[in-house]
Amino acid sequence: MFMKSLQRQAIRFNSTVAKSTASRALSNAYIGKIESRWTSLPKEDQQTLIEELKARMELPWQELTPAEKKAAYYISFGEWGPRRPLYAPGQKSQIFWLVAGTVLGSIAVFVGLKVFAEPEAPKTLNREWQEASDEYLKSKNANPFTGYSQIQ
């Protein structure tokens, strides 16, 4: 007896009567301009709308209204959630100019320090220092690959 009642309920659930609520079109006020309202909707309302559109999309697609098709497309492929753009429309140029200004500023600081902080060359770059270091390396037989310790 119990099994028969479960079977009747399963048949009733799978019948077209149970899906009659999905055959009713969603109102344009409910799904119209969803692109501008989607991010401000609470999560519960978003899930409800997704479930109602799923139920509508189980029907033939010719029965969907254009507003329902737009809403389904936006929910599936719109710029929200993980598909939200990383930068707003004016941010890319702002980022470019900030980076360019920072690079030019660092070059200016480098050149300013190079010119004004140390105007004379270091003493290790003159010719006498280089010859003295070569003689020292020869006396210690250092760096065998360039000839200081090779026997000629």
Side-chain angles (χ1 to χ4, degrees), residues 12-24 55 58-59:
R12 186 175 299 142
F13 181 73
N14 291 331
S15 70
T16 57
V17 176
K19 293 184 182 180
S20 65
T21 59
S23 66
R24 187 182 76 237
E58 289 176 357
L59 300 173

Side-chain angles (χ1 to χ4, degrees), residues 76-143:
S76 298
F77 304 108
E79 293 181 347
W80 65 277
R83 289 192 179 101
R84 180 180 300 136
L86 293 176
Y87 306 109
Q91 280 185 324
K92 288 183 181 178
S93 63
Q94 183 182 11
I95 291 169
F96 171 77
W97 289 113
L98 285 173
V99 169
T102 304
V103 168
L104 289 175
S106 64
I107 290 172
V109 167
F110 175 76
V111 169
L113 289 175
K114 192 76 171 159
V115 170
F116 297 116
E118 187 72 35
E120 59 200 40
K123 62 181 179 178
T124 58
L125 290 181
N126 60 20
R127 186 166 184 86
E128 294 85 24
W129 187 279
Q130 292 294 326
E131 289 173 354
S133 64
D134 286 345
E135 290 299 321
Y136 176 76
L137 289 173
K138 284 180 188 177
S139 68
K140 297 294 182 182
N141 289 331
N143 202 359

Side-chain angles (χ1 to χ4, degrees), residues 147-152:
Y148 290 131
S149 64
Q150 291 180 358
I151 300 171
Q152 296 186 7

